[in-house]
C-alpha cells in the first residue's frame, strides 16, 4: 500500500507531500519511500515544464541527459 501523507509544516498553511508506505507485522510501520530525496535540489514547476519541452524536442544523447536531469530533480511522479 502506497499513500501520500500531507502534514502542516507551519501554522501559515504551507504543506509538503511525502511519499510513504506502510508495512504490517512485527517489523511494520510507516516508512518513507527510498525514492524520496528531501535534501536534493529540486526544480521549480516552471523549470520542469521548460526542461520537459526541451526533452520532448530532443534526440539521442541530449534526450538521455535531459531525462536524467528531470528524473533526478523533477517531481516524483513525472511522466516522460
Amino acid at each position: 500500500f502506497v499513500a501520500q501523507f500531507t502534514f502542516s509544516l507551519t501554522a501559515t498553511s504551507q504543506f509538503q507531500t511525502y511519499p510513504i508506505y506502510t508495512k504490517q507485522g512485527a517489523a511494520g510501520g510507516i516508512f518513507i519511500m527510498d525514492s524520496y530525496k528531501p535534501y536534493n535540489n529540486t526544480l521549480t514547476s516552471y523549470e520542469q515544464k521548460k526542461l520537459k519541452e526541451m526533452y520532448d524536442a530532443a534526440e539521442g544523447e541530449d534526450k538521455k541527459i535531459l531525462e536524467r536531469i528531470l528524473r533526478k530533480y523533477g517531481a516524483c511522479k513525472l511522466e516522460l
Side-chain angles (χ1 to χ4, degrees):
F1 171 67
V2 176
Q4 291 275 323
F5 178 73
T6 305
F7 64 92
S8 177
L9 292 175
T10 68
T12 60
S13 299
Q14 292 178 341
F15 291 93
Q16 181 84 24
T17 301
Y18 293 94
I20 64 165
Y21 66 96
T22 61
K23 183 177 174 185
Q24 294 181 338
I30 300 173
F31 304 92
I32 297 176
M33 296 174 71
D34 291 338
S35 62
Y36 179 68
K37 308 284 190 244
Y39 301 107
N40 278 354
N41 291 332
T42 56
L43 298 171
T44 65
S45 297
Y46 180 74
E47 291 169 334
Q48 185 169 294
K49 178 183 174 224
K50 288 304 195 182
L51 284 170
K52 175 72 166 75
E53 290 172 5
M54 292 167 57
Y55 169 83
D56 290 339
E59 296 179 1
E61 189 67 22
D62 292 339
K63 190 167 191 127
K64 289 178 186 177
I65 295 295
L66 286 166
E67 179 180 1
R68 286 172 42 193
I69 292 168
L70 285 164
R71 295 223 183 270
K72 186 172 184 178
Y73 299 109
C76 290
K77 294 185 179 184
L78 177 65
E79 291 187 27
L80 297 176

